[in-house]
Amino acid sequence: MDCHDSDTKKGGLDLSSLPFDLNSPKTFDLWVKIHDRVRDGEMPPKKRPRPDSVALKTFLDAIAQPMIQADEGRAAAEGRAVWRRLNRYEYENALRDLLHAPGLQIKDRLPEDGESHRFNKDGMALSVSHVQIASYLDAAEYALREVTPNQTRQPPTVVKRYYAREQPSFYGKMKFSVMNGSPERATFPLLGDQAQPDVASGNAPLTVGDKDPATREKESFGVVASTYEPIEIRFNLFTAPVSGHYKLRFSGYTFWAGPRDEKRWWVPDRNKVTHGRRSEPITVYSETPPRELRWLGTFDFSPDPSVHELDVYLLAGETIQPDAARLFRSRPPAWHNPLAEKDGQPGVAYQWMEVQGPIYDQWPTSAQKLMFGGLPARDPVHPGEGIDVVSKDTHADAERLLRNFMHAAYRRPVSDAEVQRFVAVADDAMKSGDRFADAMSAAYSGVLCSPDFVCIQERPGRLDDYAIASRLSFFLINSAPDAELRELAESGQLHRPDVLRKQVDRLLNDPKSRRFVDAFLDYWLDLRKIVATAPDSALYPDYYLDDLLTESAEQETQLFFEDLIRRDLPSSDIVSSDFTFLNERLATHYGIPGVSGVAMRRVELPPDSVRGGLMTMASVLKVTANGTTTSPVLRGVWIRERILGRPTPPPPPNLPAIEPDIRGATTIRAQLDKHRSAASCAVCHSKIDPPGFALENFDVMGGWRDTYRALGDGGTPVPGIGHNGQRFTFHNGPAVDASATLPDGCSFHDVRELKKLLLADRRQIARNVLQQLIVYSTGAAARFGDRPQVEAILDRAAPRQYGVRTLIRELVQSDLFQCK
């Protein structure tokens, strides 16, 4: 009361007039803050006498018990979670599974979802508007068109080889003019390890063609630069005829291109080619013009010719773009290959791509059977239409087909009245002159936009088995329940603890659980923002345009968390682990030897490594920077909120952000010291900044640094060539100081010591993971009244060191999960 009476009102809080009105959300939240500040020793402040343990417990219990009872009463009457629609991820997956089309691209057709408590799972943030419904309708119609065959006969599964020598995007690069680039950085016609100067000069045919099959197999086009404008090579004589399953096979090898001359040894000579010296990573993308790329897979070409296969889902009209990802991306002006040595530089030679597809598991397709049953089909009359089907009794067939479709689409039993509602849609469409197939598609679109498909509907109290099936499925595979879950719900067995436990493990072991991992990390860690900013081309030319590094960093985090679940590893590994997942590019970035090739694999870290755990992963360090500078404030907030579960109050209004000085005149620490001279700023920054300082040894892409980089006058540029072929222009700035003192008085000198301090409270780390899982799985954050249940789950998980899989199992068994 000395600090918070009507006269002092420190922090704007007057306890003498604050009512204990637990029906007011704003007042309730304020009492939660008071409870937690007293519990954590922040009230009264350290300079004032602390109450003894008995008085403290009496005070906290007096506040907590009625607050818990108030929350429990609201949960009984209304439920914890509110009614919500599916988010973009869930809607896309639900359509993919329903229509048996695993590569449908739906998400980007829908508006961005709102967020609450960091996730796109809370109905309070998932608004429903006419724009949203119109987008669902557009997405549903698109999906139905994609899966409706355009002919009655099964399209032949063709195996066709596309030779690099016959692709305009390859041989066109030999003919660069002065205006659009130099031929030295373009394509090399090769025959094995032999140069072909006559072909390069245009004095010999590009290819021997089918007259000499043996020689044709050895022909290739080589590159010494990565695929990037203007060297955008692609197998552009192939476009996917229909959306579906394909196998792609690539044949190629690596080579070594000799130098033009001693003075310009970084410029390759097309006439000086020898056997390759190492393998090179190849990334394959599908491309929808213009330049809309979708990652398909990676492999390594070796010095000897080899063939690699990718199993992919392609969309109609997509073509294929390969990328020799380690090679540089030359940008003007005068470029210089960073991989070049005095005796030459590496290159990659593409021989051919073979396409097998479209591949069908059955015909008619599963989608056609779902939509049209066994009705006879006929070919469309007009181009661009899907097949039509023949019905002798359109009304009866529409009713039968819709009943079956709705049973598959809805996550609960379907009433006859609901079926008739959409039968009327089909009837009206046919009366308007639509073909039967089009009328059914109109009705199906209505089903896929109806609240019973788009929304997750739960009633207050304990969930029935159908609702549990939906909640479990949208939790662990981010989609609607599969056949086994539906059968268990229909039989009334799913709610049994033993059955539920088996289903949790089954779903976590299903390959589709990767959807949960990716979506969960996209929002918990903001991993979806990893490409939102690009490293600055002047300060970080060694990272600029390096897609392989960014893609590898994202995969590291996904595979790491997936491994925590699969092996039920302790939650504390999130802070510090003795392993991670690396490929050669990422291992080189981290300075870890002994890793070669593009494939990601589990790697034991060297003793006392700064890596291990989420905080020091390149993906996290990238999303917590802006591409140009790093901020201990932003990273400190990230650690407190994402790793420790400690909320941070927003900054005061109209307070300008601190911008680090990229000229190297002052350090961010000096700027923050000045900023904290204001008492109102120091209160928060004393908690936020220290953990952020521990990460200052990591730059905007997570590379280790002992000094900051700076631009402008005041230093000699660091020697080196960037991934963009340009010389470094930055110089070393002030030294990094990663030491700090936490609010509890514990000091550290670097991130290793910070990790040890954070591991002192492993239960809090596990509590935060559990709270993130609660939001994601139930659509509502853990409230004050849920705290006893949260602690009970942690108690049950403690014997297994709060294993991540154990936390998931115990959460599903709790009332938090099984009640609305």
Side-chain angles (χ1 to χ4, degrees):
M1 293 296 291
D2 290 343
C3 299
H4 302 289
D5 59 12
S6 58
D7 295 326
T8 309
K9 291 184 181 179
K10 188 174 182 180
L13 175 62
D14 178 9
L15 286 175
S16 64
S17 63
L18 179 66
F20 197 60
D21 179 9
L22 302 184
N23 292 317
S24 165
K26 183 176 180 180
T27 304
F28 190 99
D29 289 344
L30 188 54
W31 278 107
V32 171
K33 291 179 181 178
I34 293 168
H35 175 279
D36 291 350
R37 295 280 177 87
V38 173
R39 179 200 60 192
D40 296 339
E42 297 177 12
M43 291 175 64
K46 292 181 179 179
K47 60 184 178 181
R48 295 185 177 274
R50 294 286 300 157
D52 60 42
S53 59
V54 175
L56 189 65
K57 184 177 185 305
T58 300
F59 175 76
L60 292 176
D61 287 348
I63 297 176
Q65 291 308 314
M67 292 171 67
I68 291 173
Q69 292 171 5
D71 262 345
E72 289 176 344
R74 280 189 287 269
E78 306 168 5
R80 294 178 58 257
V82 301
W83 178 96
R84 75 171 179 92
R85 61 170 174 82
L86 302 184
N87 62 41
R88 299 193 309 160
Y89 292 66
E90 294 167 332
Y91 192 74
E92 178 178 78
N93 289 330
L95 286 184
R96 286 176 172 181
D97 293 344
L98 174 67
L99 301 176
H100 306 278
L104 273 176
Q105 300 295 305
I106 299 295
K107 185 169 76 265
D108 291 339
R109 290 178 170 268
L110 302 172
E112 189 74 41
D113 295 314
E115 298 174 42
S116 177
H117 303 287
R118 200 165 295 115
F119 289 97
N120 59 344
K121 290 274 194 173
D122 189 336
M124 296 296 290
L126 295 173
S127 60
V128 179
S129 65
H130 70 281
V131 173
Q132 192 75 42
I133 296 301
S135 298
Y136 278 127
L137 180 60
D138 172 71
E141 291 175 342
Y142 166 79
L144 292 169
R145 287 195 304 270
E146 280 289 291
V147 300
T148 301
N150 58 12
Q151 62 188 61
T152 55
R153 290 176 295 177
Q154 177 176 339
T157 297
V158 177
V159 178
K160 184 174 181 179
R161 190 165 289 183
Y162 296 84
Y163 292 92
R165 286 289 185 94
E166 298 169 3
Q167 308 302 306
S169 74
F170 279 86
Y171 62 71
K173 304 307 176 186
M174 292 196 305
K175 304 173 184 178
F176 275 18
S177 69
V178 176
M179 296 299 294
N180 66 3
S182 60
E184 294 88 354
R185 62 175 182 171
T187 52
F188 289 47
L190 303 173
L191 186 65
D193 292 333
Q194 298 177 5
Q196 292 189 294
D198 288 347
V199 175
S201 63
N203 294 322
L206 276 171
T207 176
V208 298
D210 54 12
K211 297 178 182 179
D212 186 352
T215 300
R216 188 186 197 186
E217 290 296 305
K218 296 179 182 179
E219 290 178 336
S220 67
F221 260 127
V223 291
V224 294
S226 173
T227 300
Y228 195 73
E229 186 183 7
I231 311 174
E232 292 179 282
I233 58 173
R234 57 180 64 82
F235 288 92
N236 52 347
L237 291 186
F238 164 76
T239 56
V242 296
S243 298
H245 176 203
Y246 294 80
K247 290 184 185 295
L248 306 179
R249 301 180 184 93
F250 297 86
S251 180
Y253 55 95
T254 65
F255 65 93
W256 190 258
R260 168 73 59 86
D261 52 51
E262 289 186 4
K263 291 184 178 180
R264 301 186 71 218
W265 49 267
W266 59 89
V267 179
D269 190 330
R270 284 176 170 163
N271 299 323
K272 299 177 182 178
V273 177
T274 57
H275 198 63
R277 299 182 180 180
R278 56 154 289 156
S279 65
E280 291 292 343
I282 307 298
T283 305
V284 178
Y285 302 92
S286 66
E287 181 182 14
T288 302
R291 299 190 179 94
E292 186 177 335
L293 301 179
R294 189 164 60 87
W295 185 93
L296 296 179
T298 59
F299 53 82
D300 289 301
F301 272 153
S302 61
D304 294 319
S306 56
V307 177
H308 301 268
E309 182 176 282
L310 297 178
D311 202 320
V312 301
Y313 188 100
L314 297 179
L315 301 177
E318 285 186 316
T319 189
I320 301 301
Q321 182 182 101
D323 180 20
R326 192 180 76 99
L327 306 185
F328 78 120
R329 289 181 165 176
S330 58
R331 312 306 302 146
W335 54 271
H336 189 131
N337 187 346
L339 301 179
E341 301 176 21
K342 290 295 180 70
D343 66 340
Q345 56 195 272
V348 167
Y350 299 95
Q351 293 175 307
W352 47 259
M353 175 185 75
E354 186 176 85
V355 180
Q356 178 183 354
I359 301 170
Y360 295 94
D361 297 329
Q362 57 180 290
W363 190 269
T365 65
S366 298
Q368 182 178 337
K369 288 181 177 178
L370 173 66
M371 295 167 65
F372 306 124
L375 293 177
R378 58 188 175 195
D379 288 321
V381 176
H382 304 291
E385 289 182 335
I387 59 169
D388 195 11
V389 291
V390 180
S391 170
K392 294 181 180 179
D393 186 339
T394 58
H395 179 83
D397 284 336
E399 182 176 342
R400 175 178 58 84
L401 293 173
L402 272 163
R403 192 179 304 277
N404 182 61
F405 186 89
M406 293 173 70
H407 175 76
Y410 286 3
R411 301 175 287 276
R412 55 161 182 78
V414 181
S415 70
D416 186 66
E418 291 172 317
V419 174
Q420 295 306 319
R421 180 185 308 143
F422 293 103
V423 171
V425 174
D427 287 344
D428 289 345
M430 283 182 284
K431 289 176 184 177
S432 299
D434 285 359
R435 303 181 311 159
F436 181 74
D438 294 336
M440 292 307 301
S441 292
Y444 294 148
S445 296
V447 172
L448 299 179
C449 295
S450 67
D452 295 280
F453 183 79
V454 170
C455 300
I456 295 177
Q457 301 180 10
E458 299 169 342
R459 296 175 179 173
R462 187 161 293 277
L463 301 177
D464 63 24
D465 278 22
Y466 291 105
I468 290 177
S470 288
R471 184 172 275 197
L472 185 63
S473 186
F474 282 111
F475 177 19
L476 298 182
I477 60 172
N478 216 31
S479 182
D482 61 11
E484 186 167 333
L485 280 177
R486 291 170 66 100
E487 289 172 5
L488 289 169
E490 289 171 3
S491 65
Q493 300 181 62
L494 185 57
H495 67 279
R496 290 170 42 189
D498 58 330
V499 174
L500 205 49
R501 181 185 178 91
K502 289 179 181 178
Q503 290 303 305
V504 168
D505 285 334
R506 180 181 72 85
L507 294 177
L508 287 176
N509 294 335
D510 191 306
K512 290 180 181 177
S513 67
R514 181 60 185 265
R515 297 170 175 176
F516 153 57
V517 171
D518 293 354
F520 182 68
L521 297 180
D522 271 355
Y523 282 85
W524 174 31
L525 307 181
D526 282 337
L527 213 57
R528 71 193 187 283
K529 299 178 182 178
I530 194 167
V531 295
T533 58
D536 184 87
S537 60
L539 274 172
Y540 295 99
D542 40 346
Y543 306 146
Y544 180 61
L545 302 178
D546 193 343
D547 291 340
L548 178 59
L549 177 57
T550 300
E551 291 161 358
S552 302
E554 183 178 20
Q555 290 176 43
E556 175 193 18
T557 308
Q558 293 165 340
L559 291 170
F560 176 81
F561 192 72
E562 189 176 47
D563 199 49
L564 296 187
I565 296 172
R566 181 174 59 252
R567 299 198 296 146
D568 196 23
L569 297 177
S571 297
S572 56
D573 278 3
I574 285 170
V575 169
S576 180
S577 66
D578 59 4
F579 73 95
T580 191
F581 284 79
L582 303 174
N583 60 9
E584 181 179 359
R585 179 65 190 94
L586 200 53
T588 300
H589 183 55
Y590 289 171
I592 297 174
V595 180
S596 62
V598 75
M600 300 291 292
R601 81 294 307 259
R602 194 175 191 272
V603 175
E604 299 296 322
L605 293 170
D608 205 31
S609 172
V610 296
R611 306 296 172 174
L614 295 177
M615 293 189 304
T616 51
M617 287 185 178
S619 63
V620 166
L621 294 161
K622 186 177 190 300
V623 299
T624 55
N626 64 10
T628 302
T629 58
T630 62
S631 168
V633 178
L634 297 179
R635 285 178 169 175
V637 169
W638 193 94
I639 291 174
R640 283 182 56 83
E641 294 184 348
R642 312 302 173 94
I643 302 299
L644 301 178
R646 304 291 192 193
T648 304
N654 303 319
L655 191 68
I658 296 175
E659 296 293 339
D661 177 15
I662 65 171
R663 313 306 296 182
T666 59
T667 65
I668 185 66
R669 180 181 288 270
Q671 291 174 277
L672 285 171
D673 285 344
K674 183 177 180 181
H675 181 72
R676 285 195 299 269
S677 62
S680 59
C681 297
V683 172
C684 288
H685 280 274
S686 64
K687 303 174 185 176
I688 295 170
D689 297 352
F693 279 127
L695 299 185
E696 278 297 279
N697 277 127
F698 302 95
D699 63 26
V700 299
M701 197 64 216
W704 181 265
R705 64 186 177 189
D706 293 307
T707 61
Y708 293 99
R709 295 183 180 187
L711 295 173
D713 299 333
T716 303
V718 172
I721 306 293
H723 195 66
N724 60 355
Q726 298 300 304
R727 294 185 182 278
F728 292 170
T729 57
F730 66 86
H731 59 83
N732 288 326
V736 173
D737 180 0
S739 65
T741 301
L742 296 174
D744 62 4
C746 294
S747 298
F748 59 86
H749 292 90
D750 60 18
V751 70
R752 300 179 188 87
E753 293 184 3
L754 173 66
K755 288 181 178 181
K756 291 177 182 178
L757 293 174
L758 297 183
L759 289 176
D761 192 353
R762 295 171 187 253
R763 188 177 177 98
Q764 178 58 30
I765 297 167
R767 183 181 291 112
N768 175 59
V769 175
L770 176 58
Q771 288 173 334
Q772 307 298 333
L773 291 169
I774 289 171
V775 180
Y776 184 89
S777 64
T778 69
R783 303 167 307 168
F784 190 89
D786 298 328
R787 290 182 180 183
Q789 291 192 65
V790 169
E791 297 308 310
I793 293 172
L794 292 173
D795 288 342
R796 294 195 296 272
R800 297 187 65 87
Q801 297 181 287
Y802 308 110
V804 177
R805 193 182 191 98
T806 295
L807 289 175
I808 292 172
R809 286 170 175 162
E810 295 299 337
L811 170 59
V812 171
Q813 296 287 350
S814 72
D815 286 347
L816 287 176
F817 187 87
Q818 295 187 32
C819 296
K820 180 180 184 293

